[in-house]
Amino acid sequence: KLRILALVDPDPSDTVRDGLNNLVLRLATSLASREGGELHVGHAWSLPYESTLRLSPYLSVPRTEVDAMCRALEVARREEIDALVARHHVNELGASIHLVSGDPREVLPRLARRLRIGLIVMGTVARTGLPGLFMGNTAEDILRSVDCSVLAVKPEGFVTPVKLGRRRA
């Protein structure tokens, strides 16, 4: 049975990312239905500057306060994921939802290995730098860290900035 992991990163205020998440889930649910596969939806989240808040000798943020910020962010992310998957009727396919805390470059490949995933479906948004020109830095790092097949998709309407030169006769 094919195990499919759809990687999403919801942000309702970002229409490009929202559209990309919708595309990823449409493809993943379609493939899971067609192949009789097992669908998983994954998202990595982290509190910005958490290690600084916890470890800096210059800040005195109580551990309980940082823990509370982490719990609040996790709840908010869970609500965003729940709203996203509800639009795609993912629960009707018996999908499992996985929210993992940490750097997506590290925790998502680990999740894929733990679940014995055969196919990852993920979006890519090229943002900065030459490596980002083609795929996107996070997607590129995840791709290099997994041993399964990957279906990487760009946002609808994406136009590559790469221009091919004319061939000379």
Short mmCIF file of all heavy atoms in Angstrom, two decimals, residues 40-112:
data_model
loop_
_atom_site.label_atom_id
_atom_site.label_comp_id
_atom_site.label_asym_id
_atom_site.label_seq_id
_atom_site.Cartn_x
_atom_site.Cartn_y
_atom_site.Cartn_z
N HIS A 40 -1.09 10.79 4.61
CA HIS A 40 -0.61 11.50 5.79
C HIS A 40 -0.41 12.96 5.39
O HIS A 40 0.01 13.24 4.25
CB HIS A 40 0.72 10.93 6.28
CG HIS A 40 0.63 9.51 6.73
ND1 HIS A 40 0.42 9.16 8.03
CD2 HIS A 40 0.68 8.35 6.02
CE1 HIS A 40 0.36 7.84 8.12
NE2 HIS A 40 0.51 7.33 6.91
N VAL A 41 -0.70 13.87 6.29
CA VAL A 41 -0.47 15.29 6.07
C VAL A 41 0.50 15.74 7.13
O VAL A 41 0.28 15.50 8.33
CB VAL A 41 -1.78 16.10 6.14
CG1 VAL A 41 -1.50 17.59 5.95
CG2 VAL A 41 -2.78 15.60 5.09
N GLY A 42 1.59 16.40 6.70
CA GLY A 42 2.61 16.81 7.64
C GLY A 42 2.87 18.31 7.61
O GLY A 42 2.79 18.93 6.55
N HIS A 43 3.16 18.84 8.77
CA HIS A 43 3.52 20.26 8.89
C HIS A 43 4.53 20.41 10.02
O HIS A 43 4.37 19.83 11.09
CB HIS A 43 2.28 21.10 9.21
CG HIS A 43 2.61 22.52 9.57
ND1 HIS A 43 3.11 23.41 8.66
CD2 HIS A 43 2.55 23.18 10.76
CE1 HIS A 43 3.32 24.58 9.26
NE2 HIS A 43 3.00 24.46 10.53
N ALA A 44 5.59 21.17 9.75
CA ALA A 44 6.58 21.47 10.77
C ALA A 44 6.38 22.91 11.24
O ALA A 44 6.17 23.80 10.43
CB ALA A 44 7.99 21.30 10.21
N TRP A 45 6.45 23.09 12.54
CA TRP A 45 6.26 24.43 13.10
C TRP A 45 7.33 24.65 14.18
O TRP A 45 7.87 23.70 14.74
CB TRP A 45 4.87 24.59 13.72
CG TRP A 45 4.66 23.70 14.91
CD1 TRP A 45 4.26 22.40 14.91
CD2 TRP A 45 4.90 24.05 16.27
NE1 TRP A 45 4.22 21.92 16.18
CE2 TRP A 45 4.62 22.91 17.05
CE3 TRP A 45 5.33 25.20 16.91
CZ2 TRP A 45 4.74 22.89 18.42
CZ3 TRP A 45 5.46 25.19 18.29
CH2 TRP A 45 5.15 24.04 19.03
N SER A 46 7.63 25.90 14.42
CA SER A 46 8.54 26.22 15.52
C SER A 46 8.30 27.66 15.95
O SER A 46 7.90 28.50 15.16
CB SER A 46 10.00 26.02 15.12
OG SER A 46 10.34 26.89 14.06
N LEU A 47 8.54 27.90 17.22
CA LEU A 47 8.42 29.24 17.77
C LEU A 47 9.68 30.01 17.36
O LEU A 47 10.78 29.58 17.69
CB LEU A 47 8.30 29.20 19.29
CG LEU A 47 8.20 30.54 20.01
CD1 LEU A 47 6.88 31.22 19.65
CD2 LEU A 47 8.31 30.35 21.51
N PRO A 48 9.53 31.12 16.64
CA PRO A 48 10.72 31.89 16.26
C PRO A 48 11.52 32.30 17.50
O PRO A 48 10.96 32.72 18.50
CB PRO A 48 10.13 33.12 15.55
CG PRO A 48 8.78 32.68 15.07
CD PRO A 48 8.30 31.70 16.12
N TYR A 49 12.81 32.12 17.40
CA TYR A 49 13.76 32.50 18.46
C TYR A 49 13.54 31.74 19.77
O TYR A 49 13.94 32.22 20.83
CB TYR A 49 13.73 34.01 18.71
CG TYR A 49 13.87 34.81 17.44
CD1 TYR A 49 12.79 35.50 16.91
CD2 TYR A 49 15.08 34.83 16.75
CE1 TYR A 49 12.92 36.22 15.72
CE2 TYR A 49 15.22 35.55 15.57
CZ TYR A 49 14.14 36.23 15.06
OH TYR A 49 14.26 36.93 13.89
N GLU A 50 12.95 30.55 19.69
CA GLU A 50 12.69 29.79 20.92
C GLU A 50 13.98 29.52 21.69
O GLU A 50 14.03 29.71 22.92
CB GLU A 50 11.98 28.47 20.62
CG GLU A 50 11.74 27.64 21.86
CD GLU A 50 11.09 26.31 21.58
OE1 GLU A 50 10.72 26.03 20.42
OE2 GLU A 50 10.95 25.53 22.54
N SER A 51 15.02 29.08 21.00
CA SER A 51 16.26 28.76 21.72
C SER A 51 16.85 30.01 22.37
O SER A 51 17.38 29.94 23.49
CB SER A 51 17.28 28.08 20.81
OG SER A 51 17.62 28.93 19.75
N THR A 52 16.73 31.16 21.71
CA THR A 52 17.22 32.41 22.30
C THR A 52 16.41 32.75 23.54
O THR A 52 16.97 33.15 24.57
CB THR A 52 17.14 33.56 21.28
OG1 THR A 52 17.92 33.21 20.14
CG2 THR A 52 17.65 34.86 21.87
N LEU A 53 15.09 32.61 23.44
CA LEU A 53 14.24 32.90 24.60
C LEU A 53 14.56 31.99 25.78
O LEU A 53 14.51 32.41 26.94
CB LEU A 53 12.76 32.75 24.22
CG LEU A 53 12.21 33.78 23.24
CD1 LEU A 53 10.82 33.36 22.76
CD2 LEU A 53 12.17 35.16 23.87
N ARG A 54 14.92 30.74 25.48
CA ARG A 54 15.19 29.78 26.55
C ARG A 54 16.61 29.89 27.12
O ARG A 54 16.82 29.66 28.30
CB ARG A 54 14.96 28.36 26.05
CG ARG A 54 13.51 28.02 25.80
CD ARG A 54 13.35 26.53 25.48
NE ARG A 54 12.01 26.20 25.08
CZ ARG A 54 10.98 26.05 25.91
NH1 ARG A 54 11.15 26.20 27.21
NH2 ARG A 54 9.79 25.74 25.45
N LEU A 55 17.58 30.20 26.26
CA LEU A 55 18.98 30.05 26.66
C LEU A 55 19.77 31.33 26.81
O LEU A 55 20.88 31.30 27.36
CB LEU A 55 19.70 29.14 25.64
CG LEU A 55 19.07 27.77 25.43
CD1 LEU A 55 19.77 27.03 24.29
CD2 LEU A 55 19.13 26.95 26.71
N SER A 56 19.27 32.44 26.30
CA SER A 56 20.07 33.67 26.34
C SER A 56 20.31 34.16 27.76
O SER A 56 19.37 34.28 28.56
CB SER A 56 19.36 34.78 25.55
OG SER A 56 20.07 36.01 25.72
N PRO A 57 21.58 34.47 28.07
CA PRO A 57 21.87 35.02 29.40
C PRO A 57 21.39 36.47 29.55
O PRO A 57 21.34 36.99 30.66
CB PRO A 57 23.40 34.94 29.50
CG PRO A 57 23.87 34.92 28.09
CD PRO A 57 22.78 34.28 27.28
N TYR A 58 21.01 37.08 28.44
CA TYR A 58 20.59 38.49 28.47
C TYR A 58 19.08 38.66 28.60
O TYR A 58 18.60 39.75 28.85
CB TYR A 58 21.06 39.21 27.20
CG TYR A 58 22.55 39.07 27.01
CD1 TYR A 58 23.06 38.22 26.04
CD2 TYR A 58 23.44 39.76 27.82
CE1 TYR A 58 24.44 38.08 25.88
CE2 TYR A 58 24.81 39.62 27.66
CZ TYR A 58 25.30 38.78 26.69
OH TYR A 58 26.64 38.64 26.54
N LEU A 59 18.35 37.57 28.42
CA LEU A 59 16.89 37.62 28.55
C LEU A 59 16.49 36.80 29.76
O LEU A 59 17.10 35.78 30.06
CB LEU A 59 16.21 37.04 27.31
CG LEU A 59 16.50 37.75 25.99
CD1 LEU A 59 15.89 36.97 24.83
CD2 LEU A 59 15.94 39.16 26.01
N SER A 60 15.45 37.22 30.40
CA SER A 60 14.99 36.44 31.55
C SER A 60 13.51 36.09 31.37
O SER A 60 12.67 36.49 32.16
CB SER A 60 15.22 37.22 32.85
OG SER A 60 14.53 38.45 32.80
N VAL A 61 13.26 35.35 30.31
CA VAL A 61 11.89 34.91 30.05
C VAL A 61 11.70 33.59 30.79
O VAL A 61 12.43 32.62 30.55
CB VAL A 61 11.64 34.72 28.54
CG1 VAL A 61 10.21 34.28 28.28
CG2 VAL A 61 11.96 35.99 27.77
N PRO A 62 10.73 33.53 31.68
CA PRO A 62 10.51 32.28 32.43
C PRO A 62 10.19 31.12 31.48
O PRO A 62 9.50 31.29 30.47
CB PRO A 62 9.30 32.60 33.32
CG PRO A 62 9.24 34.09 33.39
CD PRO A 62 9.81 34.59 32.10
N ARG A 63 10.71 29.96 31.83
CA ARG A 63 10.50 28.75 31.03
C ARG A 63 9.01 28.49 30.83
O ARG A 63 8.58 28.12 29.73
CB ARG A 63 11.16 27.55 31.72
CG ARG A 63 11.03 26.26 30.93
CD ARG A 63 11.70 25.09 31.64
NE ARG A 63 11.23 24.88 33.00
CZ ARG A 63 10.13 24.20 33.32
NH1 ARG A 63 9.38 23.68 32.38
NH2 ARG A 63 9.78 24.06 34.59
N THR A 64 8.20 28.71 31.86
CA THR A 64 6.76 28.47 31.75
C THR A 64 6.12 29.39 30.72
O THR A 64 5.17 29.00 30.03
CB THR A 64 6.07 28.67 33.11
OG1 THR A 64 6.39 29.97 33.62
CG2 THR A 64 6.51 27.61 34.11
N GLU A 65 6.65 30.61 30.59
CA GLU A 65 6.12 31.55 29.60
C GLU A 65 6.47 31.10 28.18
O GLU A 65 5.64 31.17 27.27
CB GLU A 65 6.67 32.95 29.87
CG GLU A 65 5.87 34.05 29.22
CD GLU A 65 6.31 35.43 29.68
OE1 GLU A 65 6.49 35.62 30.90
OE2 GLU A 65 6.46 36.30 28.80
N VAL A 66 7.69 30.64 27.97
CA VAL A 66 8.10 30.14 26.65
C VAL A 66 7.29 28.89 26.32
O VAL A 66 6.82 28.73 25.19
CB VAL A 66 9.61 29.86 26.59
CG1 VAL A 66 10.01 29.29 25.23
CG2 VAL A 66 10.41 31.13 26.88
N ASP A 67 7.10 28.01 27.30
CA ASP A 67 6.28 26.81 27.09
C ASP A 67 4.86 27.20 26.67
O ASP A 67 4.28 26.59 25.77
CB ASP A 67 6.22 25.96 28.36
CG ASP A 67 7.54 25.28 28.67
OD1 ASP A 67 8.43 25.22 27.79
OD2 ASP A 67 7.69 24.81 29.83
N ALA A 68 4.30 28.22 27.32
CA ALA A 68 2.94 28.69 27.00
C ALA A 68 2.89 29.26 25.57
O ALA A 68 1.91 29.02 24.85
CB ALA A 68 2.48 29.73 28.01
N MET A 69 3.93 30.00 25.17
CA MET A 69 3.97 30.52 23.80
C MET A 69 4.03 29.38 22.79
O MET A 69 3.36 29.44 21.75
CB MET A 69 5.18 31.45 23.61
CG MET A 69 5.03 32.79 24.31
SD MET A 69 6.36 33.95 23.88
CE MET A 69 7.68 33.36 24.90
N CYS A 70 4.80 28.35 23.10
CA CYS A 70 4.89 27.19 22.21
C CYS A 70 3.54 26.49 22.09
O CYS A 70 3.11 26.14 20.99
CB CYS A 70 5.96 26.21 22.69
SG CYS A 70 7.64 26.75 22.41
N ARG A 71 2.88 26.29 23.23
CA ARG A 71 1.56 25.63 23.20
C ARG A 71 0.55 26.45 22.40
O ARG A 71 -0.23 25.90 21.62
CB ARG A 71 1.05 25.39 24.62
CG ARG A 71 1.66 24.18 25.29
CD ARG A 71 0.94 23.80 26.58
NE ARG A 71 0.89 24.88 27.56
CZ ARG A 71 1.85 25.19 28.41
NH1 ARG A 71 2.96 24.49 28.42
NH2 ARG A 71 1.71 26.19 29.27
N ALA A 72 0.56 27.77 22.58
CA ALA A 72 -0.37 28.63 21.86
C ALA A 72 -0.11 28.59 20.36
O ALA A 72 -1.05 28.53 19.55
CB ALA A 72 -0.27 30.07 22.37
N LEU A 73 1.16 28.58 19.97
CA LEU A 73 1.49 28.50 18.54
C LEU A 73 1.09 27.15 17.97
O LEU A 73 0.54 27.08 16.87
CB LEU A 73 2.99 28.75 18.33
CG LEU A 73 3.45 28.70 16.87
CD1 LEU A 73 2.72 29.74 16.01
CD2 LEU A 73 4.96 28.92 16.79
N GLU A 74 1.32 26.09 18.73
CA GLU A 74 0.93 24.75 18.25
C GLU A 74 -0.59 24.67 18.06
O GLU A 74 -1.07 24.11 17.06
CB GLU A 74 1.40 23.68 19.22
CG GLU A 74 1.09 22.28 18.73
CD GLU A 74 1.61 21.19 19.65
OE1 GLU A 74 1.95 21.50 20.82
OE2 GLU A 74 1.66 20.04 19.20
N VAL A 75 -1.35 25.23 18.99
CA VAL A 75 -2.81 25.23 18.87
C VAL A 75 -3.24 26.02 17.63
O VAL A 75 -4.10 25.58 16.86
CB VAL A 75 -3.47 25.80 20.15
CG1 VAL A 75 -4.94 26.12 19.92
CG2 VAL A 75 -3.30 24.83 21.30
N ALA A 76 -2.61 27.18 17.41
CA ALA A 76 -2.95 27.99 16.23
C ALA A 76 -2.62 27.24 14.95
O ALA A 76 -3.41 27.25 14.00
CB ALA A 76 -2.19 29.32 16.28
N ARG A 77 -1.47 26.58 14.91
CA ARG A 77 -1.10 25.81 13.72
C ARG A 77 -2.06 24.65 13.49
O ARG A 77 -2.42 24.34 12.37
CB ARG A 77 0.35 25.31 13.81
CG ARG A 77 1.36 26.43 13.74
CD ARG A 77 1.16 27.18 12.40
NE ARG A 77 1.93 28.39 12.37
CZ ARG A 77 2.94 28.61 11.54
NH1 ARG A 77 3.29 27.71 10.68
NH2 ARG A 77 3.58 29.76 11.58
N ARG A 78 -2.45 23.99 14.57
CA ARG A 78 -3.40 22.87 14.46
C ARG A 78 -4.72 23.37 13.88
O ARG A 78 -5.30 22.72 13.01
CB ARG A 78 -3.62 22.25 15.85
CG ARG A 78 -4.75 21.23 15.93
CD ARG A 78 -4.55 20.01 15.08
NE ARG A 78 -3.50 19.17 15.59
CZ ARG A 78 -3.18 17.99 15.07
NH1 ARG A 78 -3.84 17.51 14.04
NH2 ARG A 78 -2.19 17.28 15.56
N GLU A 79 -5.19 24.53 14.30
CA GLU A 79 -6.43 25.09 13.78
C GLU A 79 -6.30 25.41 12.30
O GLU A 79 -7.23 25.15 11.51
CB GLU A 79 -6.84 26.33 14.57
CG GLU A 79 -7.31 26.02 15.98
CD GLU A 79 -7.51 27.25 16.85
OE1 GLU A 79 -7.21 28.39 16.39
OE2 GLU A 79 -7.97 27.07 18.00
N GLU A 80 -5.15 25.96 11.89
CA GLU A 80 -4.93 26.25 10.46
C GLU A 80 -4.90 24.96 9.63
O GLU A 80 -5.49 24.91 8.55
CB GLU A 80 -3.61 27.01 10.27
CG GLU A 80 -3.64 28.41 10.83
CD GLU A 80 -2.27 29.08 10.85
OE1 GLU A 80 -1.25 28.41 10.55
OE2 GLU A 80 -2.21 30.27 11.17
N ILE A 81 -4.23 23.94 10.14
CA ILE A 81 -4.17 22.64 9.44
C ILE A 81 -5.57 22.03 9.36
O ILE A 81 -5.98 21.54 8.30
CB ILE A 81 -3.21 21.67 10.14
CG1 ILE A 81 -1.77 22.15 10.02
CG2 ILE A 81 -3.35 20.25 9.61
CD1 ILE A 81 -1.15 22.03 8.66
N ASP A 82 -6.30 22.06 10.47
CA ASP A 82 -7.65 21.49 10.48
C ASP A 82 -8.54 22.17 9.45
O ASP A 82 -9.31 21.51 8.74
CB ASP A 82 -8.28 21.58 11.88
CG ASP A 82 -7.64 20.60 12.86
OD1 ASP A 82 -6.92 19.68 12.43
OD2 ASP A 82 -7.87 20.78 14.08
N ALA A 83 -8.46 23.50 9.36
CA ALA A 83 -9.27 24.23 8.38
C ALA A 83 -8.86 23.86 6.96
O ALA A 83 -9.71 23.68 6.08
CB ALA A 83 -9.13 25.74 8.60
N LEU A 84 -7.56 23.74 6.73
CA LEU A 84 -7.06 23.39 5.40
C LEU A 84 -7.51 21.99 4.98
O LEU A 84 -8.04 21.81 3.88
CB LEU A 84 -5.53 23.49 5.37
CG LEU A 84 -4.82 23.11 4.08
CD1 LEU A 84 -5.20 24.06 2.95
CD2 LEU A 84 -3.30 23.12 4.30
N VAL A 85 -7.32 21.01 5.84
CA VAL A 85 -7.68 19.64 5.46
C VAL A 85 -9.19 19.45 5.37
O VAL A 85 -9.65 18.62 4.60
CB VAL A 85 -7.02 18.59 6.40
CG1 VAL A 85 -5.51 18.68 6.34
CG2 VAL A 85 -7.53 18.69 7.81
N ALA A 86 -9.95 20.24 6.13
CA ALA A 86 -11.41 20.13 6.05
C ALA A 86 -11.90 20.52 4.66
O ALA A 86 -12.85 19.93 4.13
CB ALA A 86 -12.06 21.01 7.11
N ARG A 87 -11.25 21.52 4.05
CA ARG A 87 -11.64 21.94 2.69
C ARG A 87 -11.41 20.84 1.66
O ARG A 87 -12.01 20.86 0.59
CB ARG A 87 -10.85 23.19 2.27
CG ARG A 87 -11.22 24.42 3.03
CD ARG A 87 -10.71 25.70 2.37
NE ARG A 87 -9.34 25.70 1.95
CZ ARG A 87 -8.35 26.37 2.55
NH1 ARG A 87 -8.60 27.09 3.63
NH2 ARG A 87 -7.13 26.34 2.08
N HIS A 88 -10.53 19.91 1.97
CA HIS A 88 -10.18 18.85 1.01
C HIS A 88 -10.71 17.48 1.44
O HIS A 88 -10.33 16.47 0.84
CB HIS A 88 -8.66 18.81 0.83
CG HIS A 88 -8.16 20.04 0.16
ND1 HIS A 88 -8.14 20.20 -1.20
CD2 HIS A 88 -7.70 21.21 0.67
CE1 HIS A 88 -7.67 21.39 -1.50
NE2 HIS A 88 -7.41 22.03 -0.39
N HIS A 89 -11.54 17.44 2.45
CA HIS A 89 -12.18 16.21 2.91
C HIS A 89 -11.14 15.11 3.18
O HIS A 89 -11.38 13.94 2.91
CB HIS A 89 -13.23 15.73 1.91
CG HIS A 89 -14.19 16.82 1.52
ND1 HIS A 89 -15.16 17.28 2.39
CD2 HIS A 89 -14.29 17.57 0.40
CE1 HIS A 89 -15.83 18.26 1.80
NE2 HIS A 89 -15.33 18.46 0.59
N VAL A 90 -10.01 15.52 3.71
CA VAL A 90 -8.91 14.60 3.99
C VAL A 90 -9.31 13.56 5.03
O VAL A 90 -8.93 12.39 4.92
CB VAL A 90 -7.66 15.40 4.44
CG1 VAL A 90 -6.59 14.52 5.02
CG2 VAL A 90 -7.12 16.20 3.27
N ASN A 91 -10.08 13.96 6.01
CA ASN A 91 -10.47 13.01 7.06
C ASN A 91 -11.34 11.88 6.52
O ASN A 91 -11.33 10.78 7.07
CB ASN A 91 -11.17 13.74 8.21
CG ASN A 91 -10.21 14.66 8.94
OD1 ASN A 91 -9.02 14.40 9.00
ND2 ASN A 91 -10.73 15.74 9.48
N GLU A 92 -12.07 12.14 5.43
CA GLU A 92 -12.90 11.09 4.82
C GLU A 92 -12.03 9.98 4.24
O GLU A 92 -12.50 8.86 4.05
CB GLU A 92 -13.79 11.69 3.73
CG GLU A 92 -14.85 12.62 4.28
CD GLU A 92 -15.61 13.35 3.18
OE1 GLU A 92 -15.54 12.94 2.01
OE2 GLU A 92 -16.28 14.34 3.51
N LEU A 93 -10.77 10.28 3.94
CA LEU A 93 -9.84 9.28 3.42
C LEU A 93 -9.11 8.57 4.55
O LEU A 93 -8.25 7.72 4.29
CB LEU A 93 -8.82 9.93 2.48
CG LEU A 93 -9.37 10.52 1.19
CD1 LEU A 93 -8.30 11.31 0.46
CD2 LEU A 93 -9.93 9.42 0.31
N GLY A 94 -9.43 8.92 5.78
CA GLY A 94 -8.75 8.31 6.91
C GLY A 94 -7.32 8.79 7.08
O GLY A 94 -6.48 8.08 7.61
N ALA A 95 -7.06 10.01 6.65
CA ALA A 95 -5.70 10.55 6.72
C ALA A 95 -5.27 10.80 8.15
O ALA A 95 -6.09 11.08 9.03
CB ALA A 95 -5.62 11.85 5.92
N SER A 96 -3.98 10.72 8.36
CA SER A 96 -3.38 11.06 9.64
C SER A 96 -2.71 12.42 9.51
O SER A 96 -2.03 12.68 8.51
CB SER A 96 -2.33 10.02 10.04
OG SER A 96 -2.92 8.76 10.19
N ILE A 97 -2.90 13.27 10.50
CA ILE A 97 -2.32 14.61 10.50
C ILE A 97 -1.15 14.61 11.49
O ILE A 97 -1.29 14.15 12.62
CB ILE A 97 -3.36 15.67 10.93
CG1 ILE A 97 -4.67 15.51 10.17
CG2 ILE A 97 -2.77 17.07 10.79
CD1 ILE A 97 -4.57 15.65 8.67
N HIS A 98 0.00 15.13 11.03
CA HIS A 98 1.21 15.14 11.85
C HIS A 98 1.74 16.56 11.96
O HIS A 98 2.18 17.13 10.96
CB HIS A 98 2.28 14.24 11.24
CG HIS A 98 1.82 12.86 10.95
ND1 HIS A 98 1.87 11.85 11.89
CD2 HIS A 98 1.27 12.31 9.83
CE1 HIS A 98 1.38 10.74 11.36
NE2 HIS A 98 1.02 10.99 10.12
N LEU A 99 1.70 17.12 13.15
CA LEU A 99 2.35 18.40 13.43
C LEU A 99 3.61 18.09 14.21
O LEU A 99 3.54 17.47 15.28
CB LEU A 99 1.45 19.30 14.28
CG LEU A 99 0.58 20.29 13.51
CD1 LEU A 99 -0.50 19.58 12.75
CD2 LEU A 99 0.03 21.32 14.45
N VAL A 100 4.74 18.47 13.64
CA VAL A 100 6.01 18.19 14.30
C VAL A 100 6.72 19.50 14.57
O VAL A 100 6.72 20.41 13.75
CB VAL A 100 6.89 17.23 13.48
CG1 VAL A 100 6.32 15.82 13.50
CG2 VAL A 100 7.04 17.70 12.04
N SER A 101 7.32 19.59 15.73
CA SER A 101 8.01 20.79 16.14
C SER A 101 9.47 20.71 15.72
O SER A 101 10.13 19.71 15.95
CB SER A 101 7.92 20.95 17.66
OG SER A 101 8.68 22.06 18.08
N GLY A 102 9.95 21.78 15.06
CA GLY A 102 11.35 21.83 14.69
C GLY A 102 11.55 22.36 13.30
O GLY A 102 10.61 22.74 12.60
N ASP A 103 12.81 22.38 12.87
CA ASP A 103 13.20 22.84 11.55
C ASP A 103 12.67 21.86 10.51
O ASP A 103 12.98 20.66 10.58
CB ASP A 103 14.72 22.92 11.48
CG ASP A 103 15.25 23.46 10.16
OD1 ASP A 103 14.52 23.41 9.13
OD2 ASP A 103 16.39 23.94 10.15
N PRO A 104 11.88 22.33 9.53
CA PRO A 104 11.30 21.41 8.55
C PRO A 104 12.35 20.59 7.81
O PRO A 104 12.11 19.44 7.44
CB PRO A 104 10.53 22.31 7.58
CG PRO A 104 10.86 23.71 7.95
CD PRO A 104 11.51 23.71 9.29
N ARG A 105 13.54 21.15 7.61
CA ARG A 105 14.62 20.44 6.90
C ARG A 105 15.05 19.19 7.65
O ARG A 105 15.58 18.26 7.06
CB ARG A 105 15.82 21.36 6.72
CG ARG A 105 15.57 22.52 5.82
CD ARG A 105 16.73 23.52 5.95
NE ARG A 105 16.66 24.58 4.98
CZ ARG A 105 16.02 25.72 5.17
NH1 ARG A 105 15.38 25.95 6.30
NH2 ARG A 105 16.01 26.64 4.23
N GLU A 106 14.85 19.18 8.95
CA GLU A 106 15.26 18.05 9.78
C GLU A 106 14.09 17.14 10.15
O GLU A 106 14.17 15.92 10.02
CB GLU A 106 15.92 18.55 11.07
CG GLU A 106 17.21 19.31 10.83
CD GLU A 106 17.73 19.96 12.09
OE1 GLU A 106 17.22 19.65 13.20
OE2 GLU A 106 18.65 20.80 11.98
N VAL A 107 13.00 17.75 10.63
CA VAL A 107 11.92 16.94 11.20
C VAL A 107 11.03 16.30 10.14
O VAL A 107 10.47 15.23 10.39
CB VAL A 107 11.08 17.73 12.22
CG1 VAL A 107 11.95 18.16 13.40
CG2 VAL A 107 10.37 18.92 11.60
N LEU A 108 10.87 16.91 8.97
CA LEU A 108 10.00 16.32 7.95
C LEU A 108 10.63 15.08 7.29
O LEU A 108 9.93 14.07 7.12
CB LEU A 108 9.57 17.37 6.94
CG LEU A 108 8.66 18.46 7.54
CD1 LEU A 108 8.35 19.55 6.51
CD2 LEU A 108 7.38 17.87 8.12
N PRO A 109 11.92 15.10 6.94
CA PRO A 109 12.52 13.85 6.44
C PRO A 109 12.48 12.74 7.50
O PRO A 109 12.24 11.57 7.18
CB PRO A 109 13.96 14.24 6.10
CG PRO A 109 13.87 15.69 5.78
CD PRO A 109 12.83 16.23 6.75
N ARG A 110 12.68 13.10 8.77
CA ARG A 110 12.61 12.12 9.86
C ARG A 110 11.20 11.53 9.94
O ARG A 110 11.03 10.32 10.12
CB ARG A 110 12.99 12.80 11.17
CG ARG A 110 13.33 11.84 12.28
CD ARG A 110 13.80 12.54 13.55
NE ARG A 110 14.80 13.55 13.28
CZ ARG A 110 14.83 14.75 13.88
NH1 ARG A 110 13.94 15.09 14.77
NH2 ARG A 110 15.77 15.61 13.58
N LEU A 111 10.17 12.40 9.80
CA LEU A 111 8.79 11.94 9.81
C LEU A 111 8.54 10.97 8.66
O LEU A 111 7.93 9.91 8.84
CB LEU A 111 7.83 13.14 9.71
CG LEU A 111 6.35 12.82 9.60
CD1 LEU A 111 5.82 12.16 10.87
CD2 LEU A 111 5.56 14.10 9.29
N ALA A 112 9.03 11.31 7.47
CA ALA A 112 8.85 10.44 6.29
C ALA A 112 9.48 9.06 6.51
O ALA A 112 8.89 8.04 6.16
CB ALA A 112 9.43 11.11 5.05
#
